[in-house]
Structure formats: structure tokens, C-alpha cells
Amino acid sequence: MTRKLKPDRGIQGLVPAIFSVVLFFCTLVIFGYQAAFNTLGIIILVYSLVFGFWPFARTGNAYILVSAFYLVFFGLVLLQVDIKGDINNPMANPGNELKLSMIFVYLFLIWLIYLVALKKLKWRGREIMELAAWDVEEALDTYTERPRPAGVVDYSKYDIIDFGNYLKRNLVCMSYQEENRVVLLPIKMSNEFAMLYQPNFDYLSKTWISFGFDGNVSVHISRKDYLDYRDDLSFDHLCESLGKLMITFAEFYMKGDKVRIMDRLNSVKLGYFS
């Protein structure tokens, strides 16, 4: 499949790691080894809340808890390290608590690597936008901010809500339930931070697909996402294609063929972190 999107060169996902390393070395220079390890341990524990338990609460993706508990035990290891005993080998004589924490770190790390390899912790927005543009031809000056109708489905209100919750739990789309519809946002990797942490996040200004409880499906593609394509694409055709893709996903879900949704997304063969 020829890539329609521009390469992903964002470094947003690396900012927490860069911040941690910088603060660790600053603390090391000013206060010494023990303070540096303790500071890093506290930061890691905070990260377990911010990047682990909070995203789990927002999405319901249970796999995120593996990452959260890995960070918890890693933070505890850093807090339990005793630099005073031997600077060159601070874990030379670990206590029982440190040994137990290290065992859990290794176990959760192995589990975490396995989940990353299976893309269980990956937001799938790039795959969705690539699939939507698969056979869309180029066309100049066709973009508009207006939402476009994309089809009609015959599902109950609760079927649509369940479908949205499924996509949210599997990080395919973020789901927002309104009075008369469910709005689905395809979230690209490294773009989830605003959605997760920004107060009063304006999701209607983003790319979304809505499933009305009356059956009407609508699509809105943001200018930012449209310009993320390598070429100017036919906007009407792109909206229609994105709507049909999500309707197909809904059909898979309603028939009990949920695995087909992930198969379609995996067929794009993007990297684990893009």
C-alpha cells in the first residue's frame, strides 16, 4: 500500500523521557546520587498516574494498566536504591522489598514489550486515515470545514454506544456520547495528549465521524489532518471513504466479527509508535 500520509516525525511522546533525564542529571550535579535516584523515582511514580492510570480511566483499555504497574514498580526500585552503601554498585545488597520490586519490574517489562509488539497500546488514527485515503484521487481546492453526510445505518442507540465504547477500549477512536449521537475521533499516536489532559478539549474541531441515533452518519475532517496527506485529495471522496470505512467497522462489530476491524488496521503495516 502506497502511503498517503506524510511521515510521522513528531517527538511529543519523547518529551516526558527527555524531561526525566534532564532533571535526573541536574539533581545529580547539585545534590548527588541519592537525591537524583529518589527524584527520578518520584517522577516515575507520577508518570504512572498521568500516563497509566489516568488514560486507563479515560479509555477503559486494560492493557494500559500493565504500563502503569511497570512504572509503579520501577519508581519503587529507584526509591529503594541505597547509594550510600556503594556508589559503583548501588544494588549490591538489595533488601527483600527491593528484590520483590525488581522481580515485578522484569515481569511487567516483558509483558509490556509483548503488548507493544501486538500494538495493544497504539492509537490507530494513522491507520484509519491511511485506509480512508486508499483509493482517493488528487483534486485541488476541494477542502471545506463543513461536515459531510456519509451514509445511513440501522442500529439501535445502545448498539451505537457499545460500538463507540469498543473502539475507545481498543484505542481505535476516542468516543464522545452526545444527546443524539456518538462522535468518534481517530487519534494518531503522540496526538492523544491534548485529548487526555486538555481541559475543555474541543473535539468537534478535530477529525470525527458521528453515528446519530437516527441512523445518519456524518464526517468532518480537520484542516490539519487534511494537510497531513502528501497530496491534495478529493475532499468529498475522502469524507465518503472515511464514512464507509467506519460503517464497515460497525458492521463487523454488530456481526461479532470484531477481529476483522483490527485485521484491517494491521493491514496498513505502520510502525509500533507511528
Side-chain angles (χ1 to χ4, degrees):
M1 176 181 177
T2 302
R3 298 281 183 262
K4 293 296 185 75
L5 290 170
K6 298 173 184 175
D8 178 21
R9 296 191 175 94
I11 64 167
Q12 298 94 319
L14 297 177
V15 171
I18 295 172
F19 171 77
S20 303
V21 171
V22 171
L23 188 57
F24 174 81
F25 282 106
C26 289
T27 307
L28 175 63
V29 171
I30 299 173
F31 299 105
Y33 285 95
Q34 190 70 58
F37 275 88
N38 290 344
T39 299
L40 185 58
I42 293 172
I43 292 173
I44 297 299
L45 289 177
V46 172
Y47 283 175
S48 72
L49 295 173
V50 176
F51 302 121
F53 294 109
W54 176 249
F56 165 71
R58 291 295 311 277
T59 66
N61 183 309
Y63 297 117
I64 294 176
L65 291 177
V66 176
S67 175
F69 283 113
Y70 164 73
L71 292 173
V72 167
F73 286 107
F74 184 34
L76 291 177
V77 165
L78 294 171
L79 290 174
Q80 292 166 356
V81 167
D82 183 10
I83 303 299
K84 299 173 185 177
D86 185 352
I87 292 178
N88 295 321
N89 190 3
M91 297 187 185
N93 298 298
N96 291 332
E97 295 84 358
L98 179 55
K99 290 179 180 178
L100 184 61
S101 295
M102 290 175 63
I103 290 172
F104 279 112
V105 166
Y106 291 132
L107 291 176
F108 279 108
L109 178 59
I110 293 171
W111 194 356
L112 184 60
I113 293 172
Y114 174 72
L115 294 176
V116 169
L118 294 180
K119 300 184 179 180
K120 296 294 186 180
L121 301 174
K122 173 178 166 54
W123 287 94
R124 311 307 290 266
R126 288 188 71 83
E127 285 93 333
I128 290 176
M129 301 308 289
E130 284 281 10
L131 286 170
W134 187 298
D135 60 351
V136 177
E137 301 298 329
E138 295 182 38
L140 297 176
D141 300 324
T142 60
Y143 178 80
T144 175
E145 290 281 356
R146 295 192 304 275
R148 297 298 181 90
V152 179
V153 296
D154 185 20
Y155 304 127
S156 72
K157 170 182 177 180
Y158 299 103
D159 284 338
I160 293 172
I161 293 173
D162 288 344
F163 172 59
N165 289 335
Y166 169 80
L167 296 183
K168 179 171 64 174
R169 287 195 306 273
N170 288 275
L171 308 185
V172 178
C173 293
M174 192 61 185
S175 174
Y176 295 89
Q177 183 178 340
E178 298 180 350
E179 182 178 358
N180 298 313
R181 64 179 184 172
V182 168
V183 180
L184 305 172
L185 270 67
I187 304 293
K188 300 174 184 175
M189 285 293 288
S190 299
N191 287 354
E192 71 270 22
F193 299 111
M195 177 270 296
L196 289 172
Y197 309 114
Q198 181 178 311
N200 302 317
F201 175 66
D202 182 16
Y203 61 87
L204 292 180
S205 67
K206 311 301 180 183
T207 295
W208 51 259
I209 308 94
S210 70
F211 281 73
F213 298 145
D214 60 357
N216 289 310
V217 179
S218 300
V219 170
H220 171 264
I221 296 178
S222 70
R223 179 175 292 277
K224 179 180 178 182
D225 281 333
Y226 181 74
L227 294 177
D228 199 26
Y229 288 108
R230 296 174 186 268
D231 304 304
D232 290 330
L233 302 178
S234 171
F235 189 71
D236 285 345
H237 190 187
L238 183 62
C239 289
E240 178 186 2
S241 179
L242 180 56
K244 285 184 176 179
L245 176 66
M246 298 307 296
I247 290 173
T248 298
F249 284 177
E251 291 173 352
F252 287 151
Y253 178 81
M254 302 306 170
K255 293 178 181 178
D257 296 333
K258 302 172 187 176
V259 67
R260 298 298 183 198
I261 298 175
M262 307 314 295
D263 287 344
R264 287 289 300 277
L265 295 172
N266 290 334
S267 71
V268 182
K269 300 186 184 303
L270 289 179
Y272 300 116
F273 304 104
S274 62

